[in-house]
Amino acid sequence: MSGNEGRLAGRVAIVTGAARGQGEAIARLFVAEGARVVLADVLDTQGTEVAAELGDAALYTRLDVTSEQDWQAASTLAVERFGKLDALVNNAGILHFGPLADTTEKQFRQVFEVNQLGVFLGMRCAAPHLTASGGGTIVNTASINGFVGVANTMAYSASKWALRGMTRTAALELGKQGIRVNTVAPGSIATAMIAPDGVEKMGDDAKSAFARLPLGRIGTPDEIAAAVLFLTGAESSYCTGAEFVVDGGSLAGPVYD
């Protein structure tokens, strides 16, 4: 598909956490749909390789989402290289597993700084550029952990609950500037975050949990990318402050034989 024909034709986007997993899938789909994309991550080798594969419509930049300076540089780079900024996907995130009693202050702060502060800084730095483009879209990646309590994920779950409130607040504040802000909330997705050695090497307990989902399987990064594409494209033009759950039915409840 040429850049003049896709659903994001002429759009310019920043995607964080774009070196692998969901972020990579989002960046690849955006380019396929006509967008020009700044892939942002701290995994320099992987990010550079993905951007090179995508050609002239993509470039990679190192972005520590906890650094306001890095955010300003990435936003400026998008405008300098591609002429404007229309969309931001705050996809970068980290997960810490461990019970409350064993989670250190440092670990808790690190998760919050990436998952919450990083999104705040991204929205704050991108908003003026989106406004200058006549409006735009922000999609923040939450999680089903932001809807229910999940044992051994205290920091991660707290950060995702917070992200939902941040998204709605931003939608209220930025709507008059033509900026739509929405949340996509993945369930279990086959990425390095939850399956570092691949789904096939996960334990029997995890596989059994996926089997009990209404759809009976783990999700794919491409399925998250499709939801983000919808929230970034014209089809969702009347959607803001909304939450789009992509979880195979997890929140509906487990299925038992």
Side-chain angles (χ1 to χ4, degrees), residues 196-209:
D197 298 320
V199 175
E200 64 281 357
K201 294 185 179 180
M202 296 188 75
D204 291 339
D205 288 345
K207 292 178 180 178
S208 295

Side-chain angles (χ1 to χ4, degrees), residues 109-126:
R109 287 183 180 276
Q110 183 181 28
V111 171
F112 252 79
E113 285 176 0
V114 172
N115 294 0
Q116 185 180 7
L117 176 63
V119 172
F120 164 74
L121 292 175
M123 292 193 293
R124 192 169 70 139
C125 290

Side-chain angles (χ1 to χ4, degrees), residues 12 74-85 129:
V12 177
S75 300
T76 300
L77 177 64
V79 174
E80 289 179 346
R81 292 290 295 274
F82 296 134
K84 59 177 181 172
L85 179 63
H129 297 289

